[in-house]
């Protein structure tokens, strides 16, 4: 048998409307060429012509299966869509389309198809099939909480309750992580019905309450559960957090200590405990916890968490040399050069203050190599060189590498520090352990009394020590330069700053890396406080970075602000919001509270100035409260402030939201694939579907022009010449359209008119084209033919006579 | 929502006025056209196409006229709408349509003018063709004789004109009025009704031209249409058109056999189908 002959016969029969004969011929063809998807598709079309839908669907299915097998996924999708057009109740076909779309990376489209499949299965009562579909959706969008909810429902429906609960828990945690606490709470509400005694559910629900600012309720719900002999640490931890948020510090500390006795390496518990201590004003207890945490996170190589712990630590203990060294090394490790440089500056100051002039000189020189314009480092280096014996200074320069290694060695030691269960030396102890060499300097006749040898990067502990104050932590705001510090700076570089603005301007600008900035007199502080304008400006800049998604930049700036103004509420809130760490919500308040309770602001700083400094009233808790929206437990993270539509509404609305968002997502999908899919649909004669695809692909600039043409073709095929012309007009309006493209659009326009009998319009278009370029395609012939047709129509009318 | 919007049409699919875009090239019609073209191109003199009411004779006459371009043919279509026309009037009209300027009132002079014109056409390398639609209305021996007389005009043994008659089966009786003319029929074709599978394709074709991509009539409905229309295209159109209107009024997205039956009953086609 000759395939070509059979094909011709089949086509001949089809053209004459002899459908049965044509099908017969095509089936003969298939007996020779078994797996020809195109022929199966043609047979399907023929069956359709004789309205034999069942047979048509069978043929189309076979065609699609062959296309899939041969890797022609777009063709297969087109055939499946044709089938859906005939029968929209075929869930398996929707699922097959979804699979193919997923394979092409069209995740939103796949989800749309899967949802249709799942809904049909659900209507048909086929829960297992619906579950399978939701599982497929979860596979392609593993982070989608709405899908997890549906999957959970489906699992429970088929009796797999535990798995369903696990999925609900994942969804609740996911929403919580996204800051959608009300959505999370709604799921926990559902879980409370399904598994009221499950610790994860109890804890999740409680955490939801805490996140909503209902910590008291959370604590009340958890309290009865924490009294037994053996209580899940999970529950204890949640209770601890609830207590912390409600100000029940003793209870919180007790329960968290219990957790740590059971699980010494429970870092969440340890962090919570550190927060409790901070909030309760027991910074001496908080510091070792944070130190341990830093070590544990180091071991776990959880660098962001380690950074968090260290930042908290140095914000409390600005003079903690060891913590700063760790932080410096951590920044280096994380590639945060700017932050590492700032830490280096702090370390330089601390070494200088500690009397280790050789290291201080070494670091200053390193700073100067990184930043030659650093005036503080230059002054300090010069000062040290003057103080050190000539040989020692030279030795320092010669032994530069060794000196750097000292710093490195120290930090390496820190990273090697055993963490678990360690309560290493507190930050205060660390400071106390640093060899104090000021006396030596004096003895060596530097000519500078120890009490004035205080640099701009003054350690508060050092100031306190000099002042004979026993309680180092009461000056946590000590980074705000004191008059003494300012004077010292002024003494080092008197020519650089005016007497009025010298102290804090220089300090601030140095820390901010803004040495070259010239500050206006308004920016200059009127007291020893950090210039409010500068602070505000930097906060604003950090907020801007955060809003723009430049998290690293924002984080760096917040951290710098915190170094200068530890406990600054805005910076802490910004940082917490940035990190998206719920626990940070607890960190903001305690620090502020600790500050408000402990800091004795200089008398010369008016309350107004204090407000200006931090954006908050630090001396009056009543004034502090409104800034943080009430009680500490009500101090919400940014995410928690998001409006929510959920109260007791059921979970379906979350899925519906997701469903509604799909169409928008589809618009953003890969234009290339949608364009090719459109072509495949056109080949199958599915012009409606093709038009939809081209409408999507035209949203991508590279596909705009070609999509316009294809869309016009679709409309033309659909017998909608006006719409076709509209699309072509869109194409013509594209700026900088190439002449060839412009002529093509015009030509297509004329063609549309001509094919749809609008010969006068077609003639007008082609005549214009002929003027532009008579050689373009067959324009000249078209014009001639249309002119003839125009006259022959008149002729034809003349030829007809009624008698 | 309009009828057209409801069914996703761009235009009426079953309008009974002749529109070449809706022309469905069934094997029957294709064959008829081929035969008629053969008769013309070979100057066979007289060809006759007979078909029952609504079988597509007028459509074919128009299609044929489209085929006869001015370069190769001098053609005219005479549509007979009145049965009382005279042989003189017919001759005069034929002469005028073929381009005789200032036709004479004298019959013999007019025939002479016509002859000269036909020779002129032939010398131009073209062929003279006159199509007569509704030819069964020319129920007069004089008229038939007039046609025979014109057909006798020859030059060099070749006929100078071809007549194509389109008409109902009654046309046979008209032709029988002049036996010599009857004997001059070089080609005669009888249009048959459409077969079931062609009816389905015909309906699908018209729906497609009107903008509908998906089926609209159920299989049973198509069978019913076939039954009540007896395969006559015009009846198919009328039934379908009425069925669609009914479906629209009932808001039925698919037309089933019940709707078709109701419509056919209203149109008086059920009784006809039963009796046949």
């Amino acid at each position: 048998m000759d395939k070509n002959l059979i094909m011709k016969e089949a086509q001949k029969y089809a053209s004459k409307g002899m459908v049965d004969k044509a099908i017969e011929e095509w089936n003969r063809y298939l007996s020779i060429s078994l797996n020809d998807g195109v022929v199966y598709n043609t047979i399907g079309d023929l069956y359709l012509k004789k309205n034999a839908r069942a047979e048509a669907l069978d043929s189309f299915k076979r065609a699609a299966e062959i296309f899939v097998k041969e890797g022609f996924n777009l063709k297969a999708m087109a055939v499946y869509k044709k089938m859906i057009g005939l029968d929209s109740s075929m869930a398996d076909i929707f699922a097959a389309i979804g699979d193919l779309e997923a394979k092409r990376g069209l995740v939103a489209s796949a989800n749309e198809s899967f949802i249709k499949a799942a809904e049909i299965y659900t209507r048909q009562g086929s829960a297992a099939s619906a579950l399978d579909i939701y599982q497929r959706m979860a596979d392609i969008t593993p982070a989608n909480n709405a899908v997890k909810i549906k999957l959970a429902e489906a699992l429970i429906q088929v009796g797999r309750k535990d798995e369903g609960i696990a999925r609900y828990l994942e969804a609740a945690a996911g929403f919580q992580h996204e800051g959608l606490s009300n959505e999370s709470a709604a799921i926990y509400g559902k879980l409370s019905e399904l598994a009221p005694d499950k610790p994860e559910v109890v804890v999740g629900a409680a955490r939801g309450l805490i996140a909503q600012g209902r910590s008291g309720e959370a604590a009340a719900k958890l309290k009865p559960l924490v009294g037994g002999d053996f209580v899940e640490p999970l529950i204890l931890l949640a209770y601890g957090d609830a207590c912390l948020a409600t100000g029940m510090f003793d209870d919180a500390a007790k329960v968290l200590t219990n957790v740590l006795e059971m699980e010494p390496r429970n870092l969440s518990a340890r962090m919570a405990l550190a927060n409790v201590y901070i909030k309760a004003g027991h910074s001496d207890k908080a510091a070792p916890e944070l130190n341990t945490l830093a070590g544990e996170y180091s071991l776990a190589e959880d660098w962001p968490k380690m950074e968090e712990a260290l930042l908290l630590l140095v914000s409390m203990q600005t003079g903690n040399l060891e913590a700063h060294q760790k932080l410096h090394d951590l920044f280096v490790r994380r590639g945060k050069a700017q932050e590492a440089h700032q830490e280096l500056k702090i370390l330089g100051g601390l070494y200088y203050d500690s009397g280790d002039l050789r290291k201080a000189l070494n670091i200053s020189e390193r700073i100067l190599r990184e930043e030659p314009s650093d005036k503080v480092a230059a002054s300090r280096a010069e000062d040290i060189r003057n103080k050190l014996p000539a040989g020692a200074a030279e030795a320092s320069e010669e032994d530069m590498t060794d000196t750097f290694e000292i710093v490195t060695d120290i930090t390496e030691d820190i990273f090697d520090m055993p963490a678990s269960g360690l309560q290493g030396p507190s930050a205060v102890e660390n400071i106390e352990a640093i060899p104090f060499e000021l006396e030596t300097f004096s003895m060596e006749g530097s000519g500078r009394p120890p009490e004035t040898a205080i640099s701009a990067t003054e350690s508060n502990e050092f100031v306190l020590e000099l002042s004979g104050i026993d309680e180092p932590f009461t000056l946590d705001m000590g980074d705000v330069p004191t008059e003494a510090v300012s004077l010292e700076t002024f003494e080092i570089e008197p020519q650089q700053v005016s007497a009025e603005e010298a102290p804090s301007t220089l300090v601030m600008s140095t820390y901010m890396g803004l040495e070259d900035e010239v500050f206006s007199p308004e920016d200059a502080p009127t007291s020893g406080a950090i210039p409010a304008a500068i602070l505000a400006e930097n906060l604003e800049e950090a907020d801007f970075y955060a809003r723009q998604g430049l998290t690293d930049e924002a984080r760096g700036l917040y951290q710098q602000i915190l170094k200068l103004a530890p406990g600054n509420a805005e910076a802490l809130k910004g940082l917490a919001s940035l990190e998206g760490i719920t626990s940070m919500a607890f960190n903001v308040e305690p620090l502020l509270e600790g500050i408000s309770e402990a800091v004795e602001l200089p008398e010369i700083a008016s309350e107004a100035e204090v407000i200006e400094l931090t954006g908050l009233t630090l001396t009056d808790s009543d004034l502090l409260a409104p800034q943080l929206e009430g009680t500490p437990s009500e101090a919400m993270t940014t995410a928690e402030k998001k409006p929510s539509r959920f109260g007791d509404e059921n979970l379906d609305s979350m899925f519906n939201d997701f469903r509604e968002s799909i169409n928008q997502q589809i618009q953003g999908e890969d234009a290339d694939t949608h364009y090719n899919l459109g072509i495949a649909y056109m080949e199958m004669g599915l012009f409606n579907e093709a038009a939809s695809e081209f409408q999507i692909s035209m949203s991508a600039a590279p596909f705009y022009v070609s999509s316009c043409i294809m869309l016009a073709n679709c409309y033309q095929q659909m017998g909608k010449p006006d719409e076709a012309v509209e699309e072509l007009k869109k194409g013509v309006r594209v700026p900088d359209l190439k002449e060839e493209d412009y002529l093509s659009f015009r030509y297509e326009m004329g063609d549309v008119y001509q094919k749809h009998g609008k010969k006068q319009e077609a003639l007008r278009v082609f005549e214009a084209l002929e003027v532009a370029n008579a050689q373009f395609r067959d324009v000249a012939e078209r014009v001639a033919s249309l002119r003839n047709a125009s006259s022959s129509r008149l002729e034809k009318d003349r030829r007809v006579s009624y008698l | 929502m309009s009828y057209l919007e409801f069914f996703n049409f761009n235009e009426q699919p079953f309008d009974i006025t002749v529109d070449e875009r809706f022309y469905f090239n069934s094997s029957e019609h294709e064959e008829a056209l081929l035969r008629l073209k053969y008769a013309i191109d070979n100057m066979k003199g007289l060809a006759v196409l007979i078909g029952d009411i609504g079988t597509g004779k007028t459509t074919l006459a128009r299609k044929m006229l489209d085929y006869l371009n001015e370069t190769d043919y001098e053609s005219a279509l005479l549509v007979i709408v009145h049965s009382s026309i005279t042989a003189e009037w017919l001759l005069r009209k034929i002469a005028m349509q073929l381009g005789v300027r200032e036709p004479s009132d004298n019959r013999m002079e007019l025939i002479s003018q016509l002859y000269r014109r036909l020779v002129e056409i032939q010398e131009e390398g073209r062929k003279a063709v006159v199509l007569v639609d509704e030819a069964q209305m020319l129920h007069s021996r004089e008229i038939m004789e007039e046609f025979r007389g014109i057909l006798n005009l020859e030059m060099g043994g070749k006929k100078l004109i071809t007549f194509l008659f389109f008409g109902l089966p009654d046309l046979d009786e008209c032709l029988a009025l002049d036996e010599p003319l009857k004997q001059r029929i070089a080609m005669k074709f009888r249009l048959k009704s459409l077969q079931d599978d062609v009816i389905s394709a015909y309906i699908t074709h018209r729906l497609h031209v009107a903008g509908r991509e998906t089926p609209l009539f159920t299989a049973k409905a198509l069978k019913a249409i076939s039954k009540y229309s007896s395969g006559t295209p015009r009846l198919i159109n009328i039934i379908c058109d009425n069925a669609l209107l009914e479906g629209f009024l009932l808001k039925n997205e698919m037309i089933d056999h019940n709707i078709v039956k109701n419509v056919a009953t209203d149109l008086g086609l059920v009784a006809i189908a039963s009796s046949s």
Side-chain angles (χ1 to χ4, degrees):
Chain A
M1 284 189 285
D2 186 332
K3 273 171 42 172
N4 286 335
L5 273 178
I6 298 172
M7 194 191 295
K8 278 181 186 166
E9 279 295 295
Q11 285 167 344
K12 193 183 87 185
Y13 284 129
S15 70
K16 290 186 174 182
M18 299 166 77
V19 175
D20 290 332
K21 284 271 187 191
I23 292 172
E24 203 178 300
E25 288 302 314
W26 281 123
N27 279 323
R28 277 180 67 210
Y29 183 95
L30 283 176
S31 67
I32 308 168
S33 183
L34 291 175
N35 289 315
D36 194 323
V38 175
V39 172
Y40 275 108
N41 180 53
T42 306
I43 292 175
D45 283 336
L46 288 168
Y47 275 125
L48 212 51
K49 274 191 179 171
K50 54 182 284 187
N51 218 27
R53 280 201 330 163
E55 290 86 347
L57 286 171
D58 279 348
S59 296
F60 287 142
K61 194 169 186 186
R62 185 84 186 101
E65 284 165 357
I66 292 170
F67 285 141
V68 170
K69 201 174 168 187
E70 292 176 347
F72 298 117
N73 291 338
L74 291 177
K75 278 180 190 279
M77 282 161 76
V79 176
Y80 280 138
K81 285 267 173 146
K82 194 155 39 169
M83 294 175 72
I84 291 298
L86 292 171
D87 183 356
S88 59
S89 67
M90 295 185 293
D92 58 331
I93 303 302
F94 276 117
I97 293 171
D99 284 337
L100 290 172
E101 286 167 334
K103 225 183 250 183
R104 296 286 307 189
L106 304 175
V107 174
S109 301
N111 274 330
E112 191 178 43
S113 301
F114 283 143
I115 288 172
K116 283 175 185 159
E119 284 175 349
I120 294 167
Y121 281 135
T122 305
R123 275 201 304 274
Q124 292 170 347
S126 180
S129 300
L131 167 63
D132 174 52
I133 297 298
Y134 288 125
Q135 185 59 61
R136 288 190 221 183
M137 290 176 72
D139 289 344
I140 59 170
T141 47
N144 189 301
N145 298 317
V147 172
K148 282 178 189 165
I149 290 172
K150 275 287 173 189
L151 185 57
E153 277 176 17
L155 282 163
I156 289 166
Q157 209 164 4
V158 297
R160 292 158 65 180
K161 189 177 172 185
D162 288 346
E163 290 173 68
I165 289 170
R167 288 294 182 157
Y168 269 135
L169 282 167
E170 281 177 27
F175 278 128
Q176 193 68 51
H177 183 71
E178 290 169 16
L180 300 169
S181 53
N182 287 329
E183 282 80 351
S184 176
I187 298 175
Y188 281 121
K190 176 78 179 172
L191 280 165
S192 299
E193 294 167 14
L194 288 166
D197 300 327
K198 197 172 176 66
E200 290 88 346
V201 173
V202 175
V203 168
R207 290 205 177 279
L209 288 172
I210 295 170
Q212 289 174 312
R214 294 155 65 188
S215 311
E217 284 178 57
K221 283 196 174 184
L222 291 167
K223 193 168 185 179
L225 304 174
V226 299
D229 289 337
F230 178 76
V231 185
E232 285 277 349
L234 199 63
I235 295 175
L236 291 173
L237 192 54
Y239 181 64
D241 281 344
C243 289
L244 169 62
T246 45
M248 297 156 62
F249 303 130
D250 288 344
D251 285 358
K254 191 177 162 190
V255 80
L256 291 168
T257 305
N258 281 348
V259 174
L260 286 170
E261 280 169 7
M262 284 187 277
E263 296 178 348
R265 300 193 74 161
N266 187 326
L267 302 188
S268 300
R270 197 170 294 283
M271 180 57 97
L273 187 59
N275 279 319
V276 170
Y277 287 143
I278 293 167
K279 177 132 182 160
H282 301 310
S283 302
D284 54 331
K285 292 181 179 174
E289 298 299 342
L290 290 169
N291 208 26
T292 306
L293 278 167
E296 289 284 356
Y297 288 133
S298 170
L299 278 178
E301 298 191 352
D302 186 345
W303 311 127
K305 287 277 189 187
M306 183 182 180
E307 187 180 319
E308 184 191 344
L310 288 173
L311 280 172
L312 271 175
L313 189 56
V314 297
S315 71
M316 289 190 306
Q317 298 181 333
T318 52
N320 187 329
L321 186 59
E322 185 186 352
H324 277 296
Q325 283 167 344
K326 285 181 194 175
L327 200 50
H328 167 264
D329 210 48
L330 183 61
F331 284 142
V332 171
R333 180 183 284 268
R334 300 193 72 193
K336 295 182 168 183
Q338 197 183 348
E339 289 86 346
H341 185 71
Q342 296 303 330
E343 279 303 320
L344 207 56
K345 288 181 178 179
I346 296 170
L347 281 169
L350 289 175
Y351 276 118
Y352 182 87
D353 297 340
S354 70
D356 191 341
L357 296 184
R358 195 160 167 268
K359 283 182 188 169
L361 177 59
N362 191 356
I363 290 174
S364 297
E365 285 167 347
R366 184 172 168 181
I367 292 167
L368 286 169
R369 277 204 306 283
E370 289 178 9
E371 192 182 341
S373 61
D374 190 306
K375 297 178 182 67
V376 175
S379 301
R380 187 184 295 130
E382 192 182 343
D383 181 50
I384 296 170
R385 283 196 197 97
N386 289 337
K387 284 176 183 167
L388 285 175
E394 282 164 20
S396 170
E397 282 180 24
E398 285 168 10
D399 198 21
M400 196 73 78
T401 311
D402 290 347
T403 315
F404 281 126
E405 280 170 5
I406 292 169
V407 177
T408 312
D409 289 347
I410 292 167
T411 25
E412 278 171 0
D413 288 346
I414 291 161
F415 278 101
D416 289 341
M417 179 183 70
S420 180
L422 271 185
Q423 296 290 320
S426 71
V428 175
E429 287 166 343
N430 287 338
I431 291 295
E432 285 170 353
I434 295 170
F436 208 68
E437 297 178 39
L438 281 175
E439 199 177 345
T440 312
F441 300 154
S442 184
M443 285 163 65
E444 286 170 3
S446 67
R448 189 163 195 176
E451 61 272 21
T452 60
I454 303 167
S455 78
T457 52
E458 181 54 79
S459 149
N460 294 314
E461 286 79 4
F462 184 43
V463 173
L464 287 165
E465 205 164 323
L466 291 173
S467 314
I469 301 168
D470 289 329
E471 179 52 66
F473 214 70
T474 54
L475 266 185
D476 244 355
M477 283 293 281
D479 264 359
V480 178
T482 62
E483 283 298 313
V485 173
S486 306
L487 283 168
E488 168 63 14
T489 312
F490 182 58
E491 281 172 23
I492 293 168
E493 289 281 343
Q495 72 281 14
Q496 296 296 322
V497 284
S498 71
E500 291 76 23
E501 66 183 10
S504 53
T505 303
L506 182 60
V507 173
M508 187 65 186
S509 61
T510 303
Y511 275 113
M512 292 297 190
L514 302 170
E515 292 88 339
D516 296 332
E517 297 275 349
V518 177
F519 295 106
S520 66
E522 291 78 26
D523 291 328
T526 53
S527 71
I530 296 170
I534 296 170
L535 195 61
E537 189 182 313
N538 283 282
L539 276 169
E540 195 179 319
E541 190 178 343
D543 290 343
F544 172 77
Y545 286 146
R547 283 196 303 275
Q548 298 299 314
L550 302 167
T551 49
D552 284 346
E553 287 80 352
R555 190 182 295 109
L557 208 45
Y558 282 134
Q559 286 165 352
Q560 285 181 33
I561 294 165
L562 283 170
K563 280 173 206 159
L564 293 164
N568 180 283
E570 295 301 318
L572 280 168
K573 281 170 76 177
L575 204 55
S577 169
L578 210 58
E579 300 294 349
I581 302 165
T582 312
S583 61
M584 287 294 280
F586 303 121
N587 297 340
V588 177
E589 298 271 352
L591 282 173
L592 287 170
E593 194 169 289
I595 292 160
S596 66
E597 286 167 0
V599 174
E600 287 182 23
L601 290 162
E603 285 184 9
I604 52 172
S606 69
E607 184 175 282
E609 286 165 345
V610 175
I611 293 168
E612 190 186 10
L613 169 67
T614 59
L616 299 167
T617 305
L618 302 179
T619 52
D620 187 337
S621 58
D622 290 333
L623 284 173
L624 174 70
Q627 291 283 344
L628 294 174
E629 300 181 5
T631 62
S633 63
E634 286 165 358
M636 297 292 103
T637 61
T638 310
E640 286 166 320
K641 287 175 188 167
K642 285 181 187 171
S644 177
R645 303 145 292 108
F646 295 103
D648 297 326
E649 291 176 36
N650 63 41
L651 306 179
D652 284 346
S653 54
M654 294 180 210
F655 190 74
N656 289 339
D657 284 352
F658 163 63
R659 190 183 176 150
E660 283 166 18
S661 72
I662 284 179
N663 196 36
Q664 216 169 359
Q665 292 168 32
I666 288 173
Q667 300 299 321
E669 282 183 339
D670 177 34
D672 190 6
T673 301
H674 281 291
Y675 182 81
N676 290 327
L677 192 53
I679 300 285
Y681 285 147
M682 278 191 82
E683 285 171 3
M684 299 286 168
L686 300 172
F687 300 110
N688 267 321
E689 287 79 358
S692 300
E693 297 301 326
F694 293 131
Q695 272 160 350
I696 296 170
S697 66
M698 77 190 302
S699 61
F703 288 91
Y704 185 80
V705 170
S706 45
S707 298
C708 283
I709 289 185
M710 298 315 292
L711 207 45
N713 278 337
C714 287
Y715 285 134
Q716 197 177 336
Q717 295 292 338
M718 290 153 74
K720 296 178 175 176
D722 294 338
E723 284 87 342
V725 169
E726 275 311 305
E727 290 306 322
L728 293 168
K729 281 180 182 169
K730 278 186 202 167
V732 170
R733 286 195 289 265
V734 170
D736 303 326
L737 193 66
K738 289 178 196 162
E739 188 189 347
E740 176 76 14
D741 289 337
Y742 177 83
L743 295 175
S744 291
F745 273 110
R746 288 288 178 195
Y747 182 91
E748 293 292 333
M749 217 181 279
D751 190 54
V752 172
Y753 282 135
Q754 190 172 0
K755 281 184 178 151
H756 288 271
K758 298 188 170 183
K759 292 179 181 168
Q760 288 307 309
E761 289 88 340
L763 181 58
R764 270 202 304 275
V765 172
F766 284 122
E767 280 176 341
L769 264 176
E770 192 180 32
V771 171
N773 184 352
Q775 307 303 316
F776 188 74
R777 300 190 196 170
D778 62 345
V779 163
E781 290 88 335
R782 293 259 189 168
V783 169
S785 146
L786 282 164
R787 279 180 185 154
N788 273 341
S790 178
S791 58
S792 76
R793 195 180 61 173
L794 295 171
E795 185 62 26
K796 194 166 84 178
D797 291 340
R798 187 185 64 74
R799 286 188 295 165
V800 179
S801 178
Y802 294 86
L803 304 179
Chain B
M1 183 183 275
S2 73
Y3 164 95
L4 295 181
E5 286 169 341
F6 184 75
F7 290 116
N8 287 325
F9 294 141
N10 301 317
E11 55 193 312
Q12 300 266 6
F14 297 104
D15 198 329
I16 55 170
T17 55
V18 177
D19 184 335
E20 62 187 66
R21 289 178 306 118
F22 283 91
Y23 175 73
F24 177 68
N25 195 27
S26 72
S27 54
E28 187 82 357
H29 288 77
E30 188 185 19
E31 187 181 345
L33 278 176
L34 278 171
R35 287 177 185 275
L36 293 175
K37 282 175 188 171
Y38 174 81
I40 293 166
D41 291 338
N42 293 284
M43 298 299 280
K44 291 289 183 185
L46 177 60
V48 176
L49 181 87
I50 288 175
D52 285 319
I53 296 169
T55 49
K57 299 180 297 297
T58 299
T59 303
L60 281 175
R62 296 284 177 164
K63 195 79 186 164
M64 203 66 238
L65 189 65
D66 283 345
Y67 168 74
L68 302 172
N69 63 72
E70 204 184 3
T71 313
D72 300 319
Y73 305 95
E74 182 67 58
S75 60
L77 170 63
L78 306 181
V79 183
I80 312 301
V81 294
H82 202 281
S83 59
S84 58
I85 60 165
T86 63
E88 289 77 16
W89 177 236
L90 180 72
L91 177 63
R92 186 178 179 80
K93 197 70 190 175
I94 290 170
M96 285 169 68
Q97 286 294 117
L98 292 177
V100 172
R101 292 186 189 92
E102 297 177 11
S104 171
D105 291 335
N106 180 286
R107 184 172 175 272
M108 292 311 291
E109 180 61 26
L110 183 59
I111 290 171
S112 176
Q113 285 178 318
L114 178 61
Y115 178 75
R116 286 198 297 275
R117 174 64 187 148
L118 289 173
V119 170
E120 193 178 292
I121 292 167
Q122 193 196 47
E123 285 173 348
E124 287 169 359
R126 301 192 301 148
K127 296 181 175 77
V129 186
V130 173
L131 296 83
V132 183
D133 195 13
E134 306 289 357
Q136 79 282 351
M137 294 182 82
L138 301 171
H139 207 278
S140 139
R141 197 167 61 130
E142 288 76 22
I143 289 175
M144 292 300 131
E145 284 174 357
E146 197 70 74
F147 277 122
R148 177 160 54 84
I150 299 168
L151 277 171
N152 283 338
L153 299 174
E154 292 182 0
M155 199 178 85
K158 278 196 169 180
K159 295 205 179 299
L160 292 171
I161 190 166
T162 302
F163 284 109
L164 301 184
F165 285 2
F166 298 81
L168 293 170
D170 295 351
L171 180 57
D172 279 337
E173 291 174 26
C174 299
L175 292 165
L177 293 172
D178 185 61
E179 188 57 29
L181 177 69
K182 194 177 176 185
Q183 287 173 9
R184 281 175 172 76
I185 296 171
M187 193 282 292
K188 187 173 176 184
F189 187 82
R190 190 181 190 94
L191 276 178
K192 293 192 217 72
S193 303
L194 301 180
Q195 299 305 301
D196 283 4
D197 61 337
V198 181
I199 290 172
S200 175
Y202 171 81
I203 291 171
T204 304
H205 166 76
R206 293 195 74 106
L207 290 173
H208 176 75
V209 173
R212 173 87 182 196
E213 300 293 340
T214 51
L216 190 50
F217 293 89
T218 65
K220 278 188 173 180
L222 290 171
K223 278 186 184 161
I225 293 166
S226 173
K227 180 182 169 189
Y228 300 127
S229 68
S230 304
T232 305
R234 188 180 295 157
L235 283 181
I236 295 171
N237 286 2
I238 290 169
I239 293 170
C240 288
D241 190 40
N242 281 275
L244 289 178
L245 181 62
E246 192 71 10
F248 169 64
L249 295 173
L250 294 170
K251 301 295 174 207
N252 281 15
E253 289 181 359
M254 289 292 284
I255 306 299
D256 59 22
H257 67 288
N258 289 323
I259 292 179
V260 173
K261 191 177 177 184
N262 289 340
V263 165
T265 305
D266 292 343
L267 292 168
L269 297 171
V270 173
I272 295 167
S274 304
S275 63
S276 62

